Amino acid sequence: MHRKAAHRGKQAGRTLARAFGGWRTGLSGPVIVLQAGTAVNYFGTGLILPFEIIYMHQARGFPTATAGLVLAAVMATAAVVTPPSGALLDRFRAKPILITGNLASALGYAGFAFVDRPWQAFLCSAVGGAGFGVASTANQVLSLTLVTAEQRASSIALRRVAGNFGLGSGATVAGFVIASTNHLRAFQALYLLDGVTFGVCALVVLVGIPNLRSTNAAPASDARTGFRAVAHDRLFLVLAAANIVLILTGGALFSNILPPFAKAHTPVGPGEIGIVIFLNTLFIVVAQLPATRVVERMRRTHALAATSGLFAIGLLAVLLATLTTSTLTATTVLAGVAIVIAIGECAQFIVLGPIVADLAPPHLLGRYMSLYSLTFLAGVALGPAVGGALLATSPDAVWWGGALAAALTGAGLLRLGNRIPDPLLQTQRPPPQAMSAADMDPGCHSQMNG
């Protein structure tokens, strides 16, 4: 009996070791510290993200249209400054640029606590959005400088986990705060705390991250410089366009269009919708790092095609929730949609990011990553615009149209084949020495063996 108990204990220990083994990243201390700062940063964003329009409309008396324009100004400013930030990152070190971006965001978002006129809110949006655009690209470039090429996927996965965990926990805390005291001072405290988190992130980067020397200088013999060189990279442009479609059909439609559609066309209510969104975020936090191990064993083109397929399946499955009158059944269907979309997102980020880094010449890494970041902003902006227009005219078309777009994108990515740099293809190819020996005539080869 003692032997059986010991054997069962060993089996349980091995099972736990395998489960937690998927969370091992092998990343260095500075990378983990950097993403801890990212988690703090996104915690602050989660504090104010669900309540920005409510704050400006109810607490400050702005019309809802004006409040919406204020939020749009944040993304617009971030989009404007993102390409110039890439050019700066190709000339200067990423650490001071990241600190500067976080401090600008701290100033802008803390300023929201004291606005009482629309022009003041637009000014804070411009400052906060500029800081967000600069810091977002700088964080990616700094992360890439701290890891090897083999660790890029794990680094991106850890950043995704940190961001989603911070965002979800911040929104949860803010929900309890607003529910307990829906007062102007509560909103002000949340915005001030958001500003503090940006400052804390800047402090973490200042103290815990080495200020590595730039290795991105262009060789004297290389005439390809600037964004014109990036524009000539057709493979990168194809991947950027595909990423916009994937962000639009996957994350944006799910996050922005599913809640109003579900409320109007399915038996679920706000509570169930909140559970569905929470499951999506929770699954990403739990599964993102283990998913990296799975994706590393796949061809990159196959992983991207699978991502597109998952998005298509998830979007079509939304329509199943309209065929039932049971709240439990509809909620279960939408929960399955949330998990399928989350799996696709887990693969999308850890495949596309390393591909872009592999395509970028060292002296153009900042520009490549800035335009790659711009595709996310474009997808997030186009998703509500396209989805909202279809929602008003043909609600079902949002989902079958989005599924069709995702499927066509996946088929196009699959056709790229060997054009996409892939570590698996490199390891499968025999070394040049072996190839040259195999190509020799048998007589010469036998003499070498002798």
Side-chain angles (χ1 to χ4, degrees), residues 150-201:
E150 293 75 16
Q151 294 175 321
R152 286 170 179 169
S154 296
S155 176
I156 293 171
L158 184 60
R159 186 167 71 246
R160 285 271 294 161
V161 170
N164 279 276
F165 176 77
L167 199 65
S169 57
T172 303
V173 171
F176 283 114
V177 171
I178 298 301
S180 61
T181 170
N182 191 357
H183 191 269
L184 173 61
R185 290 186 177 179
F187 288 110
Q188 288 179 309
L190 292 179
Y191 273 100
L192 288 174
L193 184 56
D194 183 25
V196 170
T197 61
F198 281 104
V200 170
C201 185

Side-chain angles (χ1 to χ4, degrees), residues 45-325:
T45 302
L47 289 174
I48 56 102
L49 188 63
F51 306 105
E52 291 180 287
I53 292 181
I54 296 174
Y55 164 68
M56 285 182 280
H57 177 60
Q58 294 185 0
R60 293 302 185 182
F62 297 173
T64 53
T66 302
L69 288 175
V70 169
L71 298 185
V74 176
M75 292 294 101
T77 307
V80 169
V81 305
T82 294
S85 69
L88 285 174
L89 288 163
D90 284 335
R91 296 189 62 185
F92 304 102
R93 302 179 187 184
K95 176 178 175 177
I97 295 176
L98 177 57
I99 293 173
T100 302
N102 278 319
L103 292 178
S105 293
L107 180 63
Y109 281 99
F112 269 109
F114 306 103
V115 301
D116 55 12
R117 295 182 181 181
W119 71 265
Q120 297 170 337
F122 280 109
L123 179 62
C124 290
S125 293
V127 177
F132 173 77
V134 170
S136 177
T137 308
N139 191 316
Q140 294 185 66
V141 173
L142 183 58
S143 298
L144 292 173
T145 61
L146 295 172
V147 298
T148 63
E150 293 75 16
Q151 294 175 321
R152 286 170 179 169
S154 296
S155 176
I156 293 171
L158 184 60
R159 186 167 71 246
R160 285 271 294 161
V161 170
N164 279 276
F165 176 77
L167 199 65
S169 57
T172 303
V173 171
F176 283 114
V177 171
I178 298 301
S180 61
T181 170
N182 191 357
H183 191 269
L184 173 61
R185 290 186 177 179
F187 288 110
Q188 288 179 309
L190 292 179
Y191 273 100
L192 288 174
L193 184 56
D194 183 25
V196 170
T197 61
F198 281 104
V200 170
C201 185
L203 183 61
V204 168
V205 174
L206 177 65
V207 175
I209 307 300
N211 192 17
L212 299 178
R213 292 183 178 275
S214 175
T215 58
N216 296 346
S221 59
D222 195 341
R224 298 186 307 156
T225 58
F227 285 104
R228 185 174 299 178
V230 184
H232 282 85
D233 190 340
R234 294 183 179 180
L235 179 56
F236 170 74
L237 296 180
V238 170
L239 292 173
N243 194 43
I244 292 175
V245 176
L246 293 178
I247 292 294
L248 189 157
T249 57
L253 290 185
F254 175 80
S255 300
N256 299 110
I257 306 301
L258 179 62
F261 175 86
K263 188 174 183 299
H265 300 282
T266 72
V268 305
E272 290 79 13
I273 293 173
I275 293 173
V276 169
I277 300 296
F278 173 75
L279 283 175
N280 175 264
T281 305
L282 177 65
F283 193 89
I284 292 174
V285 171
V286 173
Q288 181 68 82
L289 288 172
T292 306
R293 307 285 185 272
V294 177
V295 173
E296 285 176 347
R297 302 187 184 99
M298 299 174 63
R299 289 273 303 275
R300 284 175 168 177
T301 50
H302 296 169
L304 291 175
T307 296
S308 304
L310 288 169
F311 285 167
I313 293 170
L315 294 178
L316 287 175
V318 172
L319 296 175
L320 297 177
T322 65
L323 304 179
T324 179
T325 57

